[in-house]
Amino acid sequence: MLIIGIAGGTGSGKTTVVHQIVNELPETEVGIISQDSYYKENVGMTYEERAAINFDHPRSIDFELLVHHSFVSHNRTSDTVFTHPRKVMIVEGILILTNPELRDLFDVKIYVQADPDERLIRRLKRDIADRGRDMDEVLNRYQTTLKPMHQQFIEPTKAFADIIIPNDKYNTVAIDVVRAVINQKLNV
């Protein structure tokens, strides 16, 4: 099995890159594990307490379970989701390269780079449309949490990446390089 880690800041286009890679491989040969399924449980907290959690800090992720599930057949949500053995497993999320144990499991580490203004615009659109937040709330969270956490934890992990994909548009050359690396590693 080839395990690929795909990281990058919020709104950088990680999901787009994942889909581009998945589209290059036979459906039965690739699986995806999302870091978003591994946020620590916050049972017993009030809404206000949960709203104050910094979900962009590495301590918000249950890395021990994520590392364990990288080799087991399920990942964590409110339900159990079974995956089947695949030739390629993609693990994606903003913080996946911050954890040395998880990082060591990846055969290929990819960092998706995007302009900070573009990431903010994407985040604004997503949080307003999909999460029911207003512009002031999104901007406040960006300034107080997302941007500082990106600078402290996420941006530095770019140094661990084998491939950095600038994601200002559909990057066919970068995806071709990733596909070539995947094919080369699978055929060794």
Side-chain angles (χ1 to χ4, degrees):
M1 177 187 304
L2 178 70
I3 303 175
I4 301 172
I6 300 180
T10 186
S12 63
K14 293 177 301 300
T15 302
T16 300
V17 170
V18 168
H19 290 302
Q20 290 170 343
I21 294 170
V22 168
N23 289 338
E24 296 291 327
L25 297 167
E27 186 178 331
T28 58
E29 292 185 4
V30 63
I32 301 168
I33 297 174
S34 175
Q35 168 202 286
D36 288 353
S37 297
Y38 292 88
Y39 283 105
K40 291 180 180 172
E41 292 186 279
N42 300 300
V43 177
M45 297 177 83
T46 66
Y47 174 80
E48 290 77 20
E49 291 170 326
R50 288 191 315 270
I53 295 173
N54 181 352
F55 290 104
D56 294 282
H57 192 285
R59 70 176 164 251
S60 68
I61 305 297
D62 189 343
F63 281 111
E64 184 177 328
L65 186 62
L66 179 54
V67 167
H68 176 70
H69 284 178
S70 293
F71 289 102
V72 184
S73 60
H74 57 285
N75 65 17
R76 177 180 175 182
T77 62
S78 58
D79 300 318
T80 301
V81 176
F82 290 95
T83 61
H84 301 283
R86 307 288 186 182
K87 288 184 179 180
V88 178
M89 284 302 296
I90 297 174
V91 181
E92 66 84 20
I94 63 172
L95 296 166
I96 62 163
L97 295 181
T98 63
N99 182 275
E101 188 178 6
L102 182 61
R103 194 171 55 234
D104 287 345
L105 297 177
F106 300 141
D107 299 297
V108 180
K109 295 173 287 298
I110 298 171
Y111 186 92
V112 182
Q113 175 83 32
D115 177 78
D117 292 340
E118 184 64 31
R119 289 188 304 103
L120 173 58
I121 291 166
R122 291 174 185 166
R123 181 68 187 236
L124 262 170
K125 288 179 178 178
R126 183 178 66 202
D127 281 6
I128 291 170
D130 299 342
R131 298 177 181 165
R133 297 188 176 135
D134 64 31
M135 186 172 68
D136 288 338
E137 183 182 2
V138 177
L139 291 175
N140 181 53
R141 183 174 281 268
Y142 184 84
Q143 289 175 317
T144 61
T145 304
L146 296 172
K147 184 177 179 182
M149 295 298 97
H150 180 84
Q151 292 170 332
Q152 183 177 356
F153 296 109
I154 300 163
E155 183 77 20
T157 66
K158 183 168 48 174
F160 300 115
D162 301 309
I163 300 169
I164 298 172
I165 298 178
N167 193 17
D168 52 355
K169 60 185 182 320
Y170 184 83
N171 196 323
T172 55
V173 173
I175 299 305
D176 286 345
V177 169
V178 172
R179 183 181 55 223
V181 168
I182 291 169
N183 288 334
Q184 185 258 339
K185 291 198 178 276
L186 288 178
N187 293 325
V188 169

